[in-house]
mmCIF file of all heavy atoms in Angstrom:
data_model
loop_
_atom_site.group_PDB
_atom_site.id
_atom_site.type_symbol
_atom_site.label_atom_id
_atom_site.label_comp_id
_atom_site.label_asym_id
_atom_site.label_seq_id
_atom_site.Cartn_x
_atom_site.Cartn_y
_atom_site.Cartn_z
ATOM 1 N N TRP W 1316 4.989 -8.766 3.605
ATOM 2 C CA TRP W 1316 5.457 -8.479 2.251
ATOM 3 C C TRP W 1316 6.281 -7.189 2.223
ATOM 4 O O TRP W 1316 7.358 -7.144 1.634
ATOM 5 C CB TRP W 1316 4.251 -8.372 1.303
ATOM 6 C CG TRP W 1316 4.625 -7.917 -0.076
ATOM 7 C CD1 TRP W 1316 5.076 -8.687 -1.090
ATOM 8 C CD2 TRP W 1316 4.618 -6.568 -0.554
ATOM 9 N NE1 TRP W 1316 5.341 -7.909 -2.186
ATOM 10 C CE2 TRP W 1316 5.071 -6.604 -1.878
ATOM 11 C CE3 TRP W 1316 4.272 -5.341 0.010
ATOM 12 C CZ2 TRP W 1316 5.181 -5.452 -2.646
ATOM 13 C CZ3 TRP W 1316 4.386 -4.203 -0.761
ATOM 14 C CH2 TRP W 1316 4.837 -4.267 -2.076
ATOM 15 N N ALA W 1317 5.771 -6.143 2.864
ATOM 16 C CA ALA W 1317 6.468 -4.858 2.880
ATOM 17 C C ALA W 1317 7.844 -5.006 3.540
ATOM 18 O O ALA W 1317 8.846 -4.490 3.033
ATOM 19 C CB ALA W 1317 5.634 -3.805 3.594
ATOM 20 N N THR W 1318 7.897 -5.725 4.645
ATOM 21 C CA THR W 1318 9.157 -5.933 5.352
ATOM 22 C C THR W 1318 10.151 -6.692 4.478
ATOM 23 O O THR W 1318 11.323 -6.302 4.393
ATOM 24 C CB THR W 1318 8.910 -6.692 6.666
ATOM 25 O OG1 THR W 1318 8.037 -5.904 7.487
ATOM 26 C CG2 THR W 1318 10.199 -6.958 7.413
ATOM 27 N N ARG W 1319 9.692 -7.750 3.823
ATOM 28 C CA ARG W 1319 10.579 -8.535 2.942
ATOM 29 C C ARG W 1319 11.162 -7.689 1.816
ATOM 30 O O ARG W 1319 12.258 -7.945 1.331
ATOM 31 C CB ARG W 1319 9.824 -9.719 2.321
ATOM 32 C CG ARG W 1319 9.693 -10.916 3.202
ATOM 33 C CD ARG W 1319 9.264 -12.173 2.436
ATOM 34 N NE ARG W 1319 8.213 -11.982 1.455
ATOM 35 C CZ ARG W 1319 6.903 -12.025 1.704
ATOM 36 N NH1 ARG W 1319 6.475 -12.221 2.926
ATOM 37 N NH2 ARG W 1319 6.030 -11.867 0.733
ATOM 38 N N HIS W 1320 10.424 -6.680 1.389
ATOM 39 C CA HIS W 1320 10.867 -5.844 0.272
ATOM 40 C C HIS W 1320 11.488 -4.524 0.725
ATOM 41 O O HIS W 1320 11.735 -3.637 -0.092
ATOM 42 C CB HIS W 1320 9.692 -5.590 -0.678
ATOM 43 C CG HIS W 1320 9.276 -6.841 -1.382
ATOM 44 N ND1 HIS W 1320 9.949 -7.346 -2.464
ATOM 45 C CD2 HIS W 1320 8.278 -7.715 -1.130
ATOM 46 C CE1 HIS W 1320 9.383 -8.464 -2.857
ATOM 47 N NE2 HIS W 1320 8.368 -8.716 -2.058
ATOM 48 N N GLY W 1321 11.743 -4.401 2.029
ATOM 49 C CA GLY W 1321 12.413 -3.207 2.549
ATOM 50 C C GLY W 1321 11.564 -1.950 2.504
ATOM 51 O O GLY W 1321 12.101 -0.848 2.462
ATOM 52 N N LEU W 1322 10.239 -2.107 2.502
ATOM 53 C CA LEU W 1322 9.334 -0.957 2.462
ATOM 54 C C LEU W 1322 8.787 -0.688 3.858
ATOM 55 O O LEU W 1322 8.486 -1.610 4.598
ATOM 56 C CB LEU W 1322 8.183 -1.220 1.493
ATOM 57 C CG LEU W 1322 8.596 -1.498 0.045
ATOM 58 C CD1 LEU W 1322 7.399 -1.927 -0.776
ATOM 59 C CD2 LEU W 1322 9.268 -0.285 -0.564
ATOM 60 N N ALA W 1323 8.662 0.574 4.200
ATOM 61 C CA ALA W 1323 8.201 0.969 5.528
ATOM 62 C C ALA W 1323 6.777 1.495 5.478
ATOM 63 O O ALA W 1323 6.338 2.052 4.471
ATOM 64 C CB ALA W 1323 9.116 2.061 6.087
ATOM 65 N N TYR W 1324 6.078 1.309 6.572
ATOM 66 C CA TYR W 1324 4.733 1.878 6.705
ATOM 67 C C TYR W 1324 4.849 3.373 6.971
ATOM 68 O O TYR W 1324 5.788 3.833 7.621
ATOM 69 C CB TYR W 1324 3.995 1.213 7.864
ATOM 70 C CG TYR W 1324 3.228 -0.011 7.457
ATOM 71 C CD1 TYR W 1324 3.882 -1.163 7.083
ATOM 72 C CD2 TYR W 1324 1.851 0.001 7.430
ATOM 73 C CE1 TYR W 1324 3.187 -2.289 6.696
ATOM 74 C CE2 TYR W 1324 1.135 -1.116 7.038
ATOM 75 C CZ TYR W 1324 1.812 -2.260 6.671
ATOM 76 O OH TYR W 1324 1.122 -3.362 6.284
ATOM 77 N N GLN W 1325 3.882 4.132 6.489
ATOM 78 C CA GLN W 1325 3.877 5.576 6.700
ATOM 79 C C GLN W 1325 3.522 5.944 8.145
ATOM 80 O O GLN W 1325 4.274 6.644 8.778
ATOM 81 C CB GLN W 1325 2.918 6.267 5.722
ATOM 82 C CG GLN W 1325 2.813 7.769 5.890
ATOM 83 C CD GLN W 1325 4.140 8.480 5.677
ATOM 84 O OE1 GLN W 1325 4.967 8.042 4.887
ATOM 85 N NE2 GLN W 1325 4.362 9.563 6.384
ATOM 86 N N PRO W 1326 2.403 5.502 8.714
ATOM 87 C CA PRO W 1326 2.111 5.913 10.087
ATOM 88 C C PRO W 1326 2.855 5.040 11.088
ATOM 89 O O PRO W 1326 3.247 3.903 10.785
ATOM 90 C CB PRO W 1326 0.603 5.701 10.211
ATOM 91 C CG PRO W 1326 0.293 4.620 9.237
ATOM 92 C CD PRO W 1326 1.301 4.764 8.125
ATOM 93 N N ALA W 1327 3.029 5.582 12.274
ATOM 94 C CA ALA W 1327 3.595 4.806 13.375
ATOM 95 C C ALA W 1327 2.653 3.647 13.697
ATOM 96 O O ALA W 1327 1.441 3.737 13.439
ATOM 97 C CB ALA W 1327 3.759 5.702 14.592
ATOM 98 N N PRO W 1328 3.164 2.544 14.248
ATOM 99 C CA PRO W 1328 2.312 1.372 14.514
ATOM 100 C C PRO W 1328 1.035 1.692 15.295
ATOM 101 O O PRO W 1328 -0.027 1.152 14.979
ATOM 102 C CB PRO W 1328 3.222 0.441 15.306
ATOM 103 C CG PRO W 1328 4.603 0.802 14.871
ATOM 104 C CD PRO W 1328 4.552 2.290 14.612
ATOM 105 N N GLU W 1329 1.100 2.566 16.260
ATOM 106 C CA GLU W 1329 -0.083 2.867 17.070
ATOM 107 C C GLU W 1329 -1.130 3.676 16.313
ATOM 108 O O GLU W 1329 -2.270 3.804 16.756
ATOM 109 C CB GLU W 1329 0.302 3.585 18.368
ATOM 110 C CG GLU W 1329 0.929 4.939 18.185
ATOM 111 C CD GLU W 1329 2.436 4.940 17.971
ATOM 112 O OE1 GLU W 1329 3.040 3.864 17.777
ATOM 113 O OE2 GLU W 1329 3.017 6.043 17.984
ATOM 114 N N LEU W 1330 -0.765 4.203 15.139
ATOM 115 C CA LEU W 1330 -1.697 4.999 14.340
ATOM 116 C C LEU W 1330 -2.215 4.258 13.099
ATOM 117 O O LEU W 1330 -3.025 4.795 12.364
ATOM 118 C CB LEU W 1330 -1.030 6.302 13.900
ATOM 119 C CG LEU W 1330 -0.557 7.223 15.026
ATOM 120 C CD1 LEU W 1330 0.192 8.410 14.457
ATOM 121 C CD2 LEU W 1330 -1.722 7.661 15.883
ATOM 122 N N ARG W 1331 -1.758 3.037 12.882
ATOM 123 C CA ARG W 1331 -2.160 2.280 11.697
ATOM 124 C C ARG W 1331 -3.608 1.824 11.783
ATOM 125 O O ARG W 1331 -4.116 1.490 12.839
ATOM 126 C CB ARG W 1331 -1.276 1.048 11.532
ATOM 127 C CG ARG W 1331 0.117 1.394 11.145
ATOM 128 C CD ARG W 1331 0.952 0.148 10.951
ATOM 129 N NE ARG W 1331 2.346 0.562 10.879
ATOM 130 C CZ ARG W 1331 3.360 -0.256 11.065
ATOM 131 N NH1 ARG W 1331 3.146 -1.524 11.334
ATOM 132 N NH2 ARG W 1331 4.583 0.202 10.986
ATOM 133 N N SER W 1332 -4.214 1.786 10.636
ATOM 134 C CA SER W 1332 -5.584 1.291 10.521
ATOM 135 C C SER W 1332 -5.557 -0.210 10.244
ATOM 136 O O SER W 1332 -4.733 -0.674 9.456
ATOM 137 C CB SER W 1332 -6.295 1.999 9.367
ATOM 138 O OG SER W 1332 -7.512 1.353 9.080
ATOM 139 N N PRO W 1333 -6.466 -0.971 10.841
ATOM 140 C CA PRO W 1333 -6.532 -2.394 10.505
ATOM 141 C C PRO W 1333 -7.198 -2.641 9.146
ATOM 142 O O PRO W 1333 -7.172 -3.751 8.645
ATOM 143 C CB PRO W 1333 -7.373 -2.990 11.635
ATOM 144 C CG PRO W 1333 -8.208 -1.859 12.114
ATOM 145 C CD PRO W 1333 -7.375 -0.608 11.915
#
Side-chain angles (χ1 to χ4, degrees):
W1316 173 84
T1318 299
R1319 279 195 317 273
H1320 292 281
L1322 301 172
Y1324 271 70
Q1325 178 61 32
E1329 64 274 10
L1330 300 175
R1331 290 182 193 161
S1332 168

